[in-house]
Amino acid sequence: MGTTGVLLSALCVVLYFLQMVALSSEQFIVTGLQKPVLAPLGGNVELSCQLFPPQEAQHMEIRWFRNRYTEPVYLYRNGKDLHGETISKYVERTELLKDAIEEGKVTLRIFKLTADDDGSYHCVFKVGEFYEEHITEVKFTATSSDIQILMHPPNIKGVMLECHSGGWFPQPHIEWRDSKGKVIPATSKAHSQDETKLFNMTITLLIEASFHRNVTCYLQNLLTHQEESISIVLSGELFSCKRVWITILTTIGFMLIVSCVTYCVQQHLIYGSFSEAICHCLKGAMVLVISVLAIIGTMLILLLFQRVPASDQHFELDALWLEDISVILFLLIKMNEVPIGSCFNASNQGNIPETTRQMKNMN
């Protein structure tokens, strides 16, 4: 009876310690990287997680998954790698490093990263019904040095610049800067994503005057803070369109003055009387001035009125239309000078003194 009692007591102690070991083996947490892991396009990334307190994990189930528990990125169970139960696109792109599995540490390595690999990864250690997990965030990044500036032909509105760059992730910050590094407000911005989810950026700038001779298209990856830029130097000759139109209007005004003076001299020679010449001169000049000012006013209204915003895709067509209309109006001004002068000469022919008319016929 005494021996049996001793054996039962010993068995109870052993069972108690085994239960304590089993319970203690279930009391663990999973630790890992707390900060997001930045991963470059096409590169590799390693995600580690570890049991705390450190303990043997070879007999445990170790599962890596993303959005769904039942769709593992990698699965390890009963000492074996179960590739047949993992997502197909990760079968040949992942491996589990188990060099420190005796201490409860494993590392998931992912090869040839794409934009689809961006997101959260869950690391789960499971024993029986007990499990713990740690979540690691992967931030996929891509920076491109391929930046191009397209300069459209200058028009009456100014010079339009377009900056293009593709192959960015996430969406980068993009802006125009002058030679002093000061930000120039963009005319428009646009972005799109290709089939690989990489961002393609476009930013435009309308330079209406030659204040900015040196401009820079600047891009920055907001995760890595990596910067890329390209500059362009603009010649002053690109902004000659406005100077040309100022010259045209000045020439029109000068020609208008010359026409009026010439007409007055002709009237003075015809009538011989300065007062009558001035009278007829003022009548002809008034009609001529009103006609020319009407045409010039129409031209200025068309040039200054904002018909199409610079960000619109039809902006350049509108600028070309204005140039064509301006040329037509200028030709109308030139053609208008001769008929008006001829009309007044003809209408005034009956008012010429008889003696003056006879002298002209004799000549």
Side-chain angles (χ1 to χ4, degrees), residues 295-345:
I295 296 177
I296 294 178
T298 304
M299 183 187 298
L300 290 176
I301 291 174
L302 290 174
L303 294 177
L304 299 178
F305 181 67
Q306 186 73 13
R307 293 170 48 86
V308 178
S311 58
D312 192 282
Q313 60 179 348
H314 300 107
F315 173 78
E316 289 192 43
L317 292 177
D318 182 69
L320 294 174
W321 178 84
L322 287 177
E323 291 180 358
D324 294 340
I325 293 297
S326 300
V327 171
I328 293 173
L329 292 176
F330 175 69
L331 293 177
L332 287 176
I333 292 174
K334 289 293 295 178
M335 296 171 63
N336 192 49
E337 295 176 1
V338 176
I340 291 179
S342 301
C343 178
F344 273 92
N345 285 333

Side-chain angles (χ1 to χ4, degrees), residues 237-301:
E237 297 179 355
L238 296 173
F239 305 95
S240 60
C241 284
K242 289 191 175 182
R243 291 197 298 268
V244 167
W245 285 106
I246 292 174
T247 303
I248 290 175
L249 294 178
T250 304
T251 304
I252 292 174
F254 177 76
M255 294 175 62
L256 180 61
I257 295 173
V258 171
S259 298
C260 290
V261 172
T262 303
Y263 181 73
C264 291
V265 172
Q266 290 177 349
Q267 296 299 311
H268 178 67
L269 293 176
I270 293 173
Y271 291 100
S273 172
F274 182 76
S275 59
E276 292 186 11
I278 291 295
C279 181
H280 289 284
C281 178
L282 289 177
K283 291 180 181 179
M286 184 177 298
V287 176
L288 182 61
V289 168
I290 292 174
S291 177
V292 172
L293 289 180
I295 296 177
I296 294 178
T298 304
M299 183 187 298
L300 290 176
I301 291 174

Side-chain angles (χ1 to χ4, degrees), residues 147-153 159-165 174 176 187-190 201-207 215 217 230 232 234 310-316:
I147 310 175
Q148 298 178 346
I149 293 181
L150 172 64
M151 182 176 68
H152 292 246
V159 178
M160 180 71 78
L161 300 178
E162 281 189 14
C163 179
H164 300 272
S165 185
I174 185 170
W176 289 100
T187 302
S188 65
K189 293 182 182 180
M201 306 299 298
T202 300
I203 185 171
T204 61
L205 176 65
L206 176 64
I207 302 180
V215 293
C217 180
I230 184 173
I232 183 172
L234 302 175
S311 58
D312 192 282
Q313 60 179 348
H314 300 107
F315 173 78
E316 289 192 43

Side-chain angles (χ1 to χ4, degrees), residues 19-212:
Q19 184 179 6
M20 292 298 295
V21 170
L23 290 174
S24 63
S25 66
E26 293 182 356
Q27 303 304 313
F28 59 80
I29 61 174
V30 182
T31 62
L33 298 172
Q34 301 299 323
K35 296 182 178 181
V37 179
L38 301 182
L41 172 66
N44 304 332
V45 67
E46 293 185 355
L47 309 177
S48 298
C49 56
Q50 183 173 3
L51 295 176
F52 183 83
Q55 55 188 280
E56 167 68 42
Q58 196 166 4
H59 64 287
M60 299 183 182
E61 176 182 299
I62 303 173
R63 179 187 299 259
W64 285 88
F65 72 94
R66 300 195 61 187
N67 300 321
R68 296 184 179 180
Y69 182 87
T70 56
E71 298 179 355
V73 173
Y74 202 97
L75 182 60
Y76 174 87
R77 184 192 296 146
N78 299 326
K80 296 181 180 180
D81 299 313
L82 305 179
H83 298 294
E85 298 186 27
T86 61
I87 302 177
S88 58
K89 67 178 182 179
Y90 285 106
V91 171
E92 297 182 356
R93 295 177 50 230
T94 57
E95 67 172 330
L96 190 66
L97 306 181
K98 302 180 286 288
D99 297 339
I101 195 171
E102 293 82 4
E103 301 174 1
K105 180 180 180 180
V106 293
T107 299
L108 177 68
R109 180 181 291 169
I110 307 175
F111 305 95
K112 300 179 181 178
L113 289 169
T114 66
D116 289 332
D117 298 320
D118 184 83
S120 301
Y121 289 79
H122 300 247
C123 173
V124 179
F125 283 81
K126 183 178 180 182
V127 179
E129 298 298 324
F130 180 83
Y131 67 91
E132 286 289 341
E133 72 173 356
H134 176 76
I135 302 176
T136 303
E137 192 78 15
V138 174
K139 294 292 186 180
F140 168 75
T141 64
T143 301
S144 174
S145 59
D146 183 15
I147 310 175
Q148 298 178 346
I149 293 181
L150 172 64
M151 182 176 68
H152 292 246
N155 54 55
I156 198 168
K157 293 290 187 178
V159 178
M160 180 71 78
L161 300 178
E162 281 189 14
C163 179
H164 300 272
S165 185
W168 292 80
F169 196 92
Q171 182 178 337
H173 174 71
I174 185 170
E175 63 187 16
W176 289 100
R177 294 181 178 180
D178 60 16
S179 58
K180 297 181 180 179
K182 185 178 179 180
V183 177
I184 307 174
T187 302
S188 65
K189 293 182 182 180
H191 69 272
S192 62
Q193 286 183 277
D194 57 22
E195 63 278 1
T196 61
K197 296 186 178 180
L198 296 180
F199 283 89
N200 300 314
M201 306 299 298
T202 300
I203 185 171
T204 61
L205 176 65
L206 176 64
I207 302 180
E208 299 179 354
S210 56
F211 299 125
H212 304 293

